[in-house]
């Protein structure tokens, strides 16, 4: 059980990064010419209202991952591990979706969130795969 507690480190770091007001990016038009850039928390509804859905969905998936990992730490179930892997894949893809709008809609904190989700996916996938063999 103590070893499985280490699974919680990266999702907690991800959640902290998502709470910071530097992750989600909105570029607003300026009548003078150059647009200005504003950054928001992944939990903020303003980017969601401006059709930048991925940060809010990533934050919701991260919360679900954290809850499932908390359950997995205490109850070792194979189907729960598969659900966590699927959610980690979905969260990793969603965290990279702002790149579809362009690099101007992606931030350093957003990149770190993507890296932590992908890192957790790799760590979890390799360790669970090692247990089943």
């Amino acid at each position: 059980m103590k070893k499985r507690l280490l699974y919680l480190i990266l999702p907690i770091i991800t959640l902290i990064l998502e709470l910071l007001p530097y992750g989600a990016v909105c570029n607003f038009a300026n009548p003078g010419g150059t647009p200005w850039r504003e950054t928001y928390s992944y939990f903020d509804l303003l980017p969601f209202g401006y059709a930048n859905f991925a940060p809010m969905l990533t934050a919701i998936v991260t919360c679900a991952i954290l809850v499932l990992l908390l359950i997995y730490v205490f109850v070792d179930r194979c189907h729960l591990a598969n659900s966590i892997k699927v959610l980690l894949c979905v969260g990793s893809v969603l965290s990279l979706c702002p790149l579809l709008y362009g690099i101007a809609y992606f931030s350093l904190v957003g990149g770190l969130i993507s890296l932590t989700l992908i890192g957790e996916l790799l760590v979890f996938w390799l360790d669970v795969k090692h247990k089943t063999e």
Side-chain angles (χ1 to χ4, degrees), residues 102-121:
I103 194 73
Y105 287 87
F106 203 66
S107 66
L108 177 64
V109 174
L112 292 174
I113 290 168
S114 298
L115 284 176
T116 56
L117 285 170
I118 293 169
E120 178 67 19
L121 174 63

Side-chain angles (χ1 to χ4, degrees), residues 44-124:
D44 198 343
L45 288 174
L46 191 83
F48 190 80
Y50 278 96
N52 193 357
F53 301 107
M56 176 65 83
L57 295 176
T58 303
I60 292 169
V61 168
T62 302
C63 291
I65 290 167
L66 193 58
V67 168
L68 287 178
L69 278 171
L70 278 170
I71 295 169
Y72 181 75
V73 165
F74 297 109
V75 180
D76 189 13
R77 300 272 192 253
C78 183
H79 68 279
L80 192 59
N82 290 333
S83 300
I84 293 169
K85 284 191 279 189
V86 168
L87 278 178
L88 282 167
C89 288
V90 169
S92 300
V93 170
L94 281 173
S95 68
L96 293 171
C97 280
L99 286 174
L100 295 174
Y101 292 123
I103 194 73
Y105 287 87
F106 203 66
S107 66
L108 177 64
V109 174
L112 292 174
I113 290 168
S114 298
L115 284 176
T116 56
L117 285 170
I118 293 169
E120 178 67 19
L121 174 63
L122 291 175
V123 167
F124 192 75

Side-chain angles (χ1 to χ4, degrees), residues 28-58:
F28 296 105
N30 186 3
T34 60
W36 76 86
R37 176 183 169 120
E38 292 284 329
T39 56
Y40 300 93
S41 167
Y42 267 46
F43 290 97
D44 198 343
L45 288 174
L46 191 83
F48 190 80
Y50 278 96
N52 193 357
F53 301 107
M56 176 65 83
L57 295 176
T58 303

